[in-house]
Amino acid sequence: MESRSARGYGAARLRAELRARGVDSAVIDAAVGALAPDATLARALALARRRLPVIARGRPERVAKRLSDYLLRRGYAPGVVVHVVRQLTRIAVTADAVVR
């Protein structure tokens, strides 16, 4: 479970994969519950930072939406996604203002 999480998958995606493999729901809850929330946020932030240059090539007004959709598809909780997207888009806006 930890190895799949380390590859950048969130709890929702991990739950779906385990359910598809026929794992009992009590075991799934225990496994997903063992993932540290701070580590989940750090993994989502690292994943988003790696993906941001590719996403930012498109239209600037769509960066937040595309990044949000990407993290949601990876299985991260909406609260984590909002936090990460706000943090990274704030950095991007600040960096853009400094460059100009």
Side-chain angles (χ1 to χ4, degrees), residues 30-92:
V32 172
L35 298 174
D38 292 340
T40 300
L41 180 59
R43 278 191 302 274
L45 194 53
L47 182 66
R49 280 189 178 131
R50 277 195 322 264
R51 188 68 178 169
L52 189 59
V54 174
I55 290 174
R57 289 182 197 156
R59 297 187 341 216
E61 65 274 6
R62 297 220 15 161
V63 170
K65 174 75 171 129
R66 290 183 66 208
L67 186 59
S68 173
D69 290 346
Y70 174 73
L71 291 172
L72 289 170
R73 281 192 308 271
R74 298 291 289 201
Y76 287 98
V80 171
V81 171
V82 167
H83 181 79
V84 168
V85 169
R86 281 187 182 159
Q87 184 174 352
L88 290 182
T89 54
R90 181 178 47 229
I91 291 169

